[in-house]
Amino acid sequence: FADTDWKSSHGRGDVKYHLGHSSEWTTASGKKIQLALCFNPSHLEIVNPVALGRTRARQDCGDNSDRTHGMTILIHGDAAFAGEGIIQETLNLSELRGYTVGGTLHVVVNNQLGFTTGPDEARSTRYATDIAKMLAIPIFHVNGEDPEAVAQVVRLAMDFRREFKRDVVIDMYGYRRLGHNESDEPSFTQPVLYQAIAKRKSVREGYLEHLLTLNEITREEADAIAAHRRELLEKELSQSQSEQSPASTNGHHSKLRGGPEPVNEEIKTAVPKEKLSTYLETTTRVPEDFHPHPKIKKLLQTRHEMAEGKEPLDWSAAEALAFGSLAAQGIRVRLSGQDSERGTFSHRHAVLHDYQDGRKFTPLHHLSDEQASIEICNSPLSETGVLGFEYGYSLDCPCALVLWEAQFGDFWNVAQPIVDQFIASAEDKWQQLSGLTLLLPHGFEGQGPEHSSARLERFLWLAAEDNIQVVYPTTPAQFFHCLRRQALRTWRKPLVVMTPKSLLRHPKVVSSLDDCAHGFFQRILPDEWERDSVSRSTPDKPDAAAGHRPALREISRILLCSGKIYYELAEQREEAKRDDVAILRLEQLYPLRHDLLEHALQPYRDGTPVFWVQEEPANMGAWNFLKIQFGEKLFNRFPLQGIARPVSATPATGSHKRHKQEQAEIIKRAFEK
C-alpha cells in the first residue's frame, strides 16, 4: 500500500488490494503447501469461477482425476453472496463432470450490511446463504465472536468436504466496526446498529475475558502474545515499504512471454499430409458394438473420404485436425461451451452417442496411446461462470489450448465483466498471461438481433498494447493454422475468433489436406489472382514474395473485407464479370500489421479507391477501428471509404426479407461504378 514500486511497475498496474500472490507454506509438520491468492478485481464475486478454473487446471495437469489434491477457498460478503448471480452459476458448476474440483470451501463473512444497505433491502430470503440450498450440502451458521465455535465449524466443514468431495458453506456472523472502510461514517445510515457496536468489546478482548475466567491464560501471557505479534507485523510492514520489497508472483510458465508481439516470428503450423490423413481417419472409427446415429454414419463416411483426399476439408474437419495434431504433439486441448460436444449448428459431432443405449464415444481420444488429453464438454447454460472458469484454467495450464465457445457470438456480452476485468486487461494490471481462445459464431444471416453479431467492435475498442488477438478466418485451413499457432507460440495472448455459421457447410468454404500440410496462418489473404504467389512466402515476411507476382489486370477499385461477406462479394464479382475489382481479406484485425497490408496493396496504382465492406452497421464492426487508424487515405496512396449498414441501435433486423434487401444493397454499393 506504500506504492513504492510505481516507477518500476510494468504496465499500469492495479491498486494493491487487488493483487494476487503465490508462495510455498511450510506446515507445523514440516510439509509444504503451495498457496495462491488470486488477482481480484473490485467487480464483486467475478473472481470465483476463475479460482475454480485454476484449481481444476492444476488437478488435471497433475493427473489428479479423483480431485483429492488442491482446494479452493472462496471468501464472500453476505450482501454479495445473496445478490450476485455469479454465485448461483459457480455453485451450479460444483458437481458437473467438466468443472468439479472436489468441493469448495465458501466462507461468508456476514457483516449484516452491504455498504449502507441493510439485509431487509438486500435479499428476499431469511439467510444470505439460502441460495446454497440448491445443493445438498451443509450450511453452517456460526457466531464470529466465538472463536472456538468458528474453529470447530471450520474443522467440521473441512472434514465434510474431504469425505464427500462437495462444497460446504460457513456463514460467520459478525459486523464491521468501522463501517465499509476506515474513513466511512456508518452511523449516517445505521445509527442504532453502530451505537450497539460501539459498546461491544473487540473479539480479542471478549475471548481473552473468557479465557481469563477459565484460568486458561494470564493477562501477562496474553500481552506477551500481542507484543510478539505486533513486533512481527511491524517487521513485515517495514519490509513491504522498502524498495527491495518482493513483487507478487503468479506462477507464469518460464517459456511464455507477453508484451509486444514479436515481429517476423516464424511458427511452423503445417503438419505432414500423411499424419493429417491418419488423424482424420481415426476420427471416423467407432467400436464394433457402437451404433452411431444413421445420419452420423454418412458424416463419418464423408470424413473418411476427406482423409483419403477424395473430398475437401470442411470447417469441422479442419478443427478436428488442429485438435488431434496438437494432442499428438503432447499439447492438452480443452473446449467447453453450450452444446460444444455436438456443436450448436450440428457441425462438430466430436462426442458421439450410441443410437441404442446413449453411451458416449469420443474418437479424438483414440489417436494414440501417447497423446495428450482432449477434453470437449458441454457447459451449463452459463456464460459468465463458464468463461471465468476457462480463463482461470488457462492461467494454470498455460501450455494447453483452452477454448470457450459461445452458442451464438452475441451471447458473450453476458460475460462482459470476464472480458473487461480479466481477458483484456490482466496482463496490464497484474502481468498475468493467458492464451484463452474464444470461438464466437458471427455473421448476418437474417436471424435477427442476438443471433448475428459477436460485437467485433467491442473487442477492437478493447484492443491496445497487443493485449489480445482478434481474427476472422474465412477458410478451414486458415482456422487450422490459427489454432495451431495459438498453441505453439510462446507469445501468450488471448485469441478471439469470429467463427462462421452458414459457412460451416458452404460449398466454397473448403480446404485441402495440402493446405494444412503446407503454409501458415495468413493475416491478409490477397486477391485470388495473387494468392498463389503470396502463398510461397514465409509467415509475416512480406518481402519473401517479391518478384513472384504475375501481371495484374487493370483495377478500378479495391474491396477490403473480413469473414462471410467475402463469399458474397466474390460471387457477385463472378456473376457480373467484374475483373476490374480486387477483393482482399483481413483475416487478422488485431494486432493489425500495417506493413503487411501496405505490401498487399503495393501492386495497385496510386489513387485507386479502397472500400472497407462489412455486414455490420456503420457504428459497429471494424469500420471505425480502421478509420481511426488510417483516416481518409490508406498509406497516403488510396482513398478509403466504408460500406456498411446504416448506423443502428441494434446489430441486425428481425425481418429475413429486410435482411436480404440490406445485404443486396451493401453488395450493390461495393460494385457501383
Side-chain angles (χ1 to χ4, degrees):
F1 288 88
D3 203 19
T4 58
D5 59 347
W6 65 274
K7 291 183 179 180
S8 61
S9 62
H10 300 286
R12 289 174 174 79
D14 201 354
V15 292
K16 301 301 181 180
Y17 51 88
H18 287 178
L19 300 184
H21 197 84
S22 64
S23 64
E24 186 176 74
W25 176 265
T26 302
T27 69
S29 62
K31 296 183 179 180
K32 298 185 182 300
I33 297 177
Q34 293 293 326
L35 298 177
L37 173 67
C38 290
F39 291 81
N40 182 20
S42 284
H43 202 120
L44 289 175
E45 307 288 341
I46 289 294
V47 75
N48 295 348
V50 176
L52 291 177
R54 293 187 61 183
T55 299
R56 172 69 179 232
R58 294 190 179 205
Q59 291 173 340
D60 286 351
C61 293
D63 293 324
N64 183 222
S65 59
D66 62 356
R67 314 293 166 199
T68 55
H69 295 165
M71 175 177 136
T72 304
I73 303 174
L74 297 178
I75 302 177
H76 315 270
D78 52 315
F81 200 82
E84 295 285 340
I86 191 64
I87 297 298
Q88 184 274 337
E89 292 191 34
T90 303
L91 292 171
N92 191 48
L93 295 176
S94 65
E95 295 175 32
L96 301 180
R97 176 180 55 83
Y99 306 90
T100 182
V101 294
T104 295
L105 176 61
H106 300 267
V107 179
V108 178
V109 181
N110 193 330
N111 296 311
Q112 306 178 69
L113 196 62
F115 198 173
T116 66
T117 301
D120 59 326
E121 301 167 306
R123 61 179 186 265
S124 297
T125 58
R126 179 171 185 177
Y127 293 106
T129 53
D130 280 351
I131 184 64
K133 291 179 179 179
M134 63 182 282
L135 301 177
I137 60 173
I139 303 172
F140 298 107
H141 304 277
V142 62
N143 181 0
E145 289 188 309
D146 186 344
E148 292 180 6
V150 173
Q152 182 182 8
V153 162
V154 168
R155 292 191 184 99
L156 184 57
M158 294 284 284
D159 287 345
F160 176 90
R161 177 200 160 273
R162 182 171 63 176
E163 177 69 22
F164 298 104
K165 297 185 176 64
R166 308 184 80 159
D167 285 22
V168 61
V169 177
I170 297 175
D171 181 13
M172 187 183 74
Y173 274 78
Y175 50 84
R176 285 179 181 262
R177 183 171 289 275
L178 299 176
H180 190 71
N181 58 51
E182 287 77 359
S183 61
D184 189 44
E185 180 46 76
S187 62
F188 285 156
T189 51
Q190 276 80 27
V192 176
L193 174 63
Y194 274 87
Q195 288 174 26
I197 289 173
K199 298 175 183 177
R200 298 188 75 82
K201 298 177 181 177
S202 68
V203 174
R204 178 185 181 275
E205 285 301 317
Y207 186 50
L208 175 58
E209 185 176 279
H210 171 68
L211 294 178
L212 291 173
T213 302
L214 297 177
N215 293 320
E216 292 287 344
I217 196 171
T218 65
R219 172 69 70 172
E220 291 74 17
E221 290 172 327
D223 291 344
I225 292 173
H228 173 71
R229 298 306 298 177
R230 178 167 292 279
E231 180 183 349
L232 180 62
L233 290 171
E234 291 290 353
K235 178 182 177 182
E236 295 290 338
L237 176 62
S238 177
Q239 181 181 348
S240 72
Q241 292 174 333
S242 69
E243 290 289 344
Q244 290 75 34
S245 173
S248 294
T249 59
N250 51 25
H252 281 169
H253 195 284
S254 60
K255 294 181 180 179
L256 304 179
R257 65 191 191 280
E261 182 179 24
V263 180
N264 296 337
E265 180 186 44
E266 295 189 30
I267 303 297
K268 295 180 179 179
T269 56
V271 177
K273 185 176 179 179
E274 298 75 19
K275 288 187 176 181
L276 293 174
S277 180
T278 300
Y279 298 149
L280 199 56
E281 172 63 28
T282 302
T283 68
T284 69
R285 300 176 194 159
V286 297
E288 290 185 3
D289 63 343
F290 189 87
H291 310 91
H293 190 284
K295 292 184 179 180
I296 297 295
K297 291 181 181 179
K298 186 177 185 303
L299 180 146
L300 297 178
Q301 179 58 35
T302 302
R303 277 276 180 91
H304 179 78
E305 293 172 358
M306 292 178 185
E308 292 184 335
K310 297 177 181 178
E311 290 286 337
L313 304 175
D314 60 13
W315 197 271
S316 63
E319 179 190 75
L321 284 175
F323 292 168
S325 60
L326 289 170
Q329 289 180 244
I331 297 174
R332 178 183 292 270
V333 177
R334 176 182 165 92
L335 166 65
S336 82
Q338 294 156 19
D339 311 298
S340 286
E341 292 183 357
R342 191 202 76 175
T344 297
F345 308 100
S346 196
H347 70 287
R348 180 173 292 119
H349 294 289
V351 180
L352 306 180
H353 296 254
D354 190 289
Y355 195 51
Q356 295 183 5
D357 59 22
R359 61 194 165 104
K360 294 183 178 182
F361 179 74
T362 305
L364 283 169
H365 290 172
H366 303 276
L367 300 171
S368 73
D369 294 335
E370 295 78 27
Q371 73 173 83
S373 167
I374 298 180
E375 185 176 18
I376 300 175
C377 57
N378 291 335
S379 77
L381 193 60
S382 157
E383 287 83 25
T384 307
V386 174
L387 181 55
F389 188 98
E390 301 307 335
Y391 173 79
Y393 197 103
S394 74
L395 295 179
D396 282 58
C397 196
C399 293
L401 178 64
V402 183
L403 311 98
W404 174 75
E405 182 176 57
Q407 194 173 53
F408 280 87
D410 315 54
F411 297 172
W412 79 266
N413 63 11
V414 180
Q416 183 93 43
I418 301 297
V419 175
D420 290 346
Q421 306 294 345
F422 293 98
I423 293 173
S425 60
E427 182 181 355
D428 204 22
K429 293 189 295 187
W430 310 319
Q431 295 84 61
Q432 280 203 304
L433 303 182
S434 166
L436 179 64
T437 297
L438 278 62
L439 304 182
L440 307 177
H442 177 81
F444 286 53
E445 283 129 352
Q447 298 187 63
E450 284 77 65
H451 298 90
S452 300
S453 175
R455 295 292 190 172
L456 173 62
E457 65 279 356
R458 292 185 183 174
F459 289 104
L460 294 177
W461 293 133
L462 287 170
E465 302 175 302
D466 290 357
N467 61 332
I468 58 175
Q469 306 166 86
V470 182
V471 301
Y472 200 170
T474 54
T475 72
Q478 280 282 88
F479 187 48
F480 168 86
H481 288 297
C482 181
L483 292 180
R484 284 184 52 79
R485 181 186 73 163
Q486 176 70 357
L488 296 174
R489 297 180 94 180
T490 56
W491 188 66
R492 188 60 82 237
K493 302 282 175 159
L495 170 66
V496 180
V497 186
M498 299 288 128
T499 59
K501 294 175 287 179
S502 63
L503 298 190
L504 294 171
R505 295 176 180 82
H506 194 290
K508 292 191 175 181
V509 184
V510 292
S511 301
S512 67
L513 282 172
D514 286 326
D515 293 331
C516 298
H518 303 93
F520 52 90
F521 176 73
Q522 297 185 58
R523 299 167 188 243
I524 300 172
L525 286 180
D527 191 49
E528 59 184 10
W529 283 61
E530 303 176 77
R531 196 177 310 146
D532 291 340
S533 63
V534 173
S535 66
R536 289 194 290 268
S537 67
T538 54
D540 303 337
K541 289 190 175 181
D543 295 335
H548 293 284
R549 296 181 179 279
L552 296 175
R553 74 273 194 206
E554 289 296 314
I555 296 298
S556 65
R557 61 171 47 201
I558 302 167
L559 305 181
L560 292 180
C561 64
S562 283
K564 164 183 164 287
I565 201 168
Y566 164 75
Y567 292 96
E568 293 162 285
L569 294 171
E571 181 181 13
Q572 176 63 23
R573 179 173 66 175
E574 185 177 349
E575 289 180 359
K577 296 181 172 55
R578 290 292 302 275
D579 289 346
D580 62 317
V581 177
I583 308 175
L584 285 71
R585 283 171 273 178
L586 298 190
E587 300 277 291
Q588 177 162 314
L589 290 159
Y590 189 83
L592 179 60
R593 285 278 299 276
H594 289 206
D595 59 328
L596 295 180
L597 179 57
E598 186 174 15
H599 178 73
L601 294 170
Q602 186 178 359
Y604 304 107
R605 293 191 312 270
D606 288 3
T608 305
V610 174
F611 296 88
W612 171 257
V613 187
Q614 66 178 36
E615 297 184 294
E616 300 90 346
N619 58 320
M620 302 177 192
W623 169 232
N624 286 310
F625 173 76
L626 295 171
K627 185 166 59 175
I628 284 177
Q629 293 192 64
F630 297 111
E632 297 181 353
K633 211 163 191 182
L634 262 175
F635 308 117
N636 206 32
R637 291 182 58 206
F638 308 102
L640 177 63
Q641 299 179 56
I643 296 176
R645 281 175 165 78
V647 295
S648 173
T650 63
T653 175
S655 164
H656 188 73
K657 291 182 179 179
R658 176 60 181 162
H659 158 78
K660 292 178 68 175
Q661 180 187 17
E662 291 176 350
Q663 203 77 354
E665 290 172 356
I666 291 173
I667 303 302
K668 179 182 177 182
R669 289 170 57 197
F671 288 91
E672 283 177 346
K673 292 185 178 180

